């Protein structure tokens, strides 16, 4: 019969030799492979003490951006939630009052905005769907937690503060530049 692959092996039901029965050659062969790895370059790091460099376009924890005047860019349009394949984003919209003029750029804003980091697959579609350049993925790592509830990130975690902006210039910088021109 024609072989299906070149890797197929004919099984032979022959008696095992003495050395095969005591496994010693196989054990020494395994130890030699283990020893050879001691002298090879390590591929692992002592995380979290040592962290590797991430790509500039690494897709990690999201940030909700503010504009140059410190107002939240998000207008709670919901497009990111619709685009999200993991249904990880939820929000509630509210209308901006006169007192809120300094806080929100548009007449409508997100009173609540939540991302379930356990659902998120970091695909970046929310970022692409956003017409306001309000949401970006960053090179920050989502921190481990010991309970599921802590992985629901609200605005307190997602929105950047006025004093410490999250640098996303290496990600989709052209979108911000285009907007600045318009
Ligand atoms: S990165 Fe993808 S999965 Fe995560 S919130 Fe955005 S659209 Fe949803
Ligand atoms: S982050 Fe962008 S897409 Fe999502 S609700 Fe806000 S403005 Fe709309």
């Amino acid at each position: 019969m024609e072989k299906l692959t070149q890797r197929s092996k004919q099984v032979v039901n022959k008696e095992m030799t003495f050395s095969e029965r005591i496994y010693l050659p196989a054990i020494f062969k395994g130890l030699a492979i283990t020893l050879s790895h001691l002298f090879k370059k390590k591929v692992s790091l002592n995380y979290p003490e040592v962290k590797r460099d991430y790509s500039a376009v690494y897709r990690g924890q999201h940030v909700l951006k503010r504009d140059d005047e410190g107002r939240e860019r998000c207008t709670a349009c919901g497009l990111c939630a619709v685009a999200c394949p993991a249904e990880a984003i939820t929000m509630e919209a509210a209308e901006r009052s006169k007192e809120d003029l300094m806080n929100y750029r548009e007449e409508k804003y997100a009173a609540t905005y939540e991302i379930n980091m356990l659902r998120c697959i970091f695909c970046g579609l929310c970022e692409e769907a956003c017409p306001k350049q309000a949401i970006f993925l960053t090179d920050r790592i989502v921190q481990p937690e010991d309970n599921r509830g802590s992985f629901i990130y609200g605005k307190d975690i997602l929105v950047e503060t006025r004093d410490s902006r999250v640098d996303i210039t290496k990600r989709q910088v052209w979108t911000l530049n285009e907007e600045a021109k318009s």
Side-chain angles (χ1 to χ4, degrees), residues 10-51:
Q10 188 75 36
V11 178
V12 183
N13 242 354
K14 71 173 176 58
E15 279 277 304
M16 290 172 88
T17 62
F18 176 72
S19 67
E20 281 170 340
R21 279 207 299 272
I22 62 173
Y23 296 115
L24 271 183
I27 290 171
F28 283 122
K29 198 173 159 192
L31 285 175
I33 293 172
T34 307
L35 275 174
S36 72
H37 280 278
L38 283 180
F39 304 103
K40 285 186 181 159
K41 192 174 171 239
K42 287 190 182 69
V43 290
S44 54
L45 293 173
N46 287 334
Y47 184 86
E49 286 80 19
V50 183
K51 289 179 183 152

Side-chain angles (χ1 to χ4, degrees), residues 6 9 11 43 48 58 61 71-73 91 98 111 135-136 149 155 157 164 169 177 181:
Q6 294 304 318
K9 250 186 180 178
V11 178
V43 290
Y58 180 83
Q61 184 184 319
R71 301 171 298 181
E72 288 180 20
R73 286 172 173 267
M91 74 192 72
K98 276 186 188 159
I135 188 165
F136 287 89
K155 284 182 70 176
I157 300 176
S164 75
T169 46
N177 289 342
K181 277 186 225 158

Side-chain angles (χ1 to χ4, degrees), residues 62 80 83-86 88-89 115 119-126 137:
H62 311 61
C80 51
C84 178
I89 302 176
I115 301 180
R119 284 185 165 222
C120 178
I121 53 171
F122 302 94
C123 62
L125 288 180
C126 49
L137 278 75

Side-chain angles (χ1 to χ4, degrees), residues 5-176:
T5 85
Q6 294 304 318
R7 290 186 299 172
S8 60
K9 250 186 180 178
Q10 188 75 36
V11 178
V12 183
N13 242 354
K14 71 173 176 58
E15 279 277 304
M16 290 172 88
T17 62
F18 176 72
S19 67
E20 281 170 340
R21 279 207 299 272
I22 62 173
Y23 296 115
L24 271 183
I27 290 171
F28 283 122
K29 198 173 159 192
L31 285 175
I33 293 172
T34 307
L35 275 174
S36 72
H37 280 278
L38 283 180
F39 304 103
K40 285 186 181 159
K41 192 174 171 239
K42 287 190 182 69
V43 290
S44 54
L45 293 173
N46 287 334
Y47 184 86
E49 286 80 19
V50 183
K51 289 179 183 152
R52 71 177 172 86
D53 293 330
Y54 290 96
S55 154
V57 289
Y58 180 83
R59 293 199 293 254
Q61 184 184 319
H62 311 61
V63 62
L64 286 174
K65 295 292 292 175
R66 294 176 181 275
D67 66 8
D68 290 343
E69 294 170 41
R71 301 171 298 181
E72 288 180 20
R73 286 172 173 267
C74 177
T75 183
C77 66
L79 285 177
C80 51
V82 172
C84 178
E87 297 183 1
I89 302 176
T90 52
M91 74 192 72
E92 276 175 34
E95 207 169 314
R96 184 184 66 182
S97 63
K98 276 186 188 159
E99 298 78 52
D100 285 333
L101 275 173
M102 297 298 290
N103 295 325
Y104 310 108
R105 198 166 67 158
E106 312 281 343
E107 287 173 1
K108 195 157 67 87
Y109 70 95
T112 63
Y113 189 107
E114 288 179 343
I115 301 180
N116 184 336
M117 290 298 172
L118 292 178
R119 284 185 165 222
C120 178
I121 53 171
F122 302 94
C123 62
L125 288 180
C126 49
E127 187 183 61
E128 285 183 32
C130 182
K132 300 291 177 185
Q133 285 77 50
I135 188 165
F136 287 89
L137 278 75
T138 68
D139 60 357
R140 298 174 301 170
I141 305 293
V142 173
Q143 294 302 310
E145 303 285 353
D146 56 12
N147 69 90
R148 296 174 71 83
S150 301
F151 285 104
I152 313 285
Y153 282 15
K155 284 182 70 176
D156 53 329
I157 300 176
L158 295 170
V159 180
E160 65 180 353
T161 61
R162 285 189 169 86
D163 305 326
S164 75
R165 301 301 185 95
V166 178
D167 182 17
I168 46 92
T169 46
K170 287 179 187 158
R171 289 192 65 80
Q172 301 198 352
V173 66
W174 60 273
T175 54
L176 289 175

